Amino acid sequence: MSDSELLIDGPAIILVEPQLGENIGTAARAMANFGLRDLRVVNPRDGWPSESARRAASRADHVFDRIRLFGTVEEAVADLGYVAATTARPRELAKTVRGPASAAEMMRGRMMEGVRTGVLFGRERIGLTNEEISLADEIVTLPIDPQFASLNIAQAVLIVAYEWRRSGLESEEAGLRFTTPNDSRPATKEELIGLFEHLEGALDAVTFFRPVEKRPVVVHTLRAMLQKAQFTEKDIRTLRGVIAALENRPTRPRRRADGTETTSREADD
């Protein structure tokens, strides 16, 4: 298998003696969410195949149908060159301890060199034994609240799978499925000053600035507040349309930066 094919499958996820078929299925679903495909199961308590596991996989068939069963952890990791073992408890083992993001970067680096990698996840109640962890190169643990360190298997798989996918992106935002469109440019200072003056004139008309001698301070405060909003040109037009509507008066022409005239009520055009 080529390096690129290794990266497509991602690191193997190895569930050691899971008690519930549902946990196998939800782990497969979590893997599918973030592009992992190699799920290995060691000696599942309820046997195999498992209909409850398939139902819980929620149509992650491309992962579920490739599940491989093993009798021992040794057999499950035999073809791997780097293995990380997950645990929420400190162990008396001299191994490097990593967080999930660091472990993902380590595995991606190894797999780019052609090394197969995998992550061990233990039983629901007792996790992994020290003997099983001794088969791993390093330990992975999560920065969770020590007052409630118990984590569902699928939740732990989801976090590791997320960090794996994140490690292959330049930024978290680069992998987002969508962004909200912004078809309006940032407002110019001329447009912003026009908003200030329009609002202040409307407030003058209703004698908002009282006492009058405090007007400069209030105006400066309002301008500072509005400046923080980083309005777009469309925002400015919308707000001026709102002010004009509240003024309840005929629209008045105003000049755009390009020299053309428009009206305060064109905000929604």
Side-chain angles (χ1 to χ4, degrees), residues 90-253:
R91 307 294 182 114
E92 297 300 321
L93 296 168
K95 291 185 182 293
T96 298
V97 178
R98 295 184 182 275
S102 175
E105 291 175 1
M106 169 65 74
M107 289 187 289
R108 188 170 290 276
R110 293 293 184 90
M111 295 184 82
M112 290 178 69
E113 297 170 353
V115 178
R116 292 177 183 268
T117 70
V119 185
L120 287 171
F121 293 85
R123 303 155 188 84
E124 289 91 334
R125 290 183 61 251
I126 62 171
L128 295 167
T129 66
N130 283 343
E131 182 179 358
E132 290 160 348
I133 292 177
S134 71
L135 297 172
D137 298 278
E138 298 182 331
I139 288 174
V140 177
T141 193
L142 308 180
I144 54 182
D145 188 338
Q147 300 302 314
F148 195 74
S150 176
L151 207 64
N152 175 273
I153 291 175
Q155 292 175 319
V157 170
L158 184 75
I159 292 171
V160 170
Y162 166 78
E163 292 295 353
W164 163 258
R165 190 167 184 84
R166 170 69 183 84
S167 70
L169 301 170
E170 291 185 7
S171 69
E172 190 173 42
E173 287 71 23
L176 300 181
R177 293 182 62 206
F178 63 88
T179 57
T180 56
N182 184 0
D183 56 358
S184 181
R185 60 169 172 75
T188 65
K189 293 302 179 185
E190 181 182 21
E191 289 164 339
L192 195 59
I193 291 169
L195 172 66
F196 294 160
E197 293 175 346
H198 191 177
L199 175 61
E200 292 153 15
L203 293 175
D204 278 328
V206 294
T207 61
F208 173 81
F209 300 107
R210 290 180 294 182
V212 175
E213 57 269 22
K214 289 190 176 181
R215 185 183 189 282
V217 174
V218 178
V219 165
H220 293 157
T221 300
L222 286 172
R223 291 191 175 196
M225 289 168 57
L226 293 169
Q227 191 94 279
K228 292 176 184 178
Q230 298 183 329
F231 291 126
T232 65
E233 178 266 343
K234 188 174 181 180
D235 293 334
I236 296 290
R237 287 193 289 119
T238 299
L239 287 172
R240 295 198 65 170
V242 170
I243 296 169
L246 292 174
E247 288 176 315
N248 194 25
R249 58 175 173 74
T251 58
R252 56 186 173 81

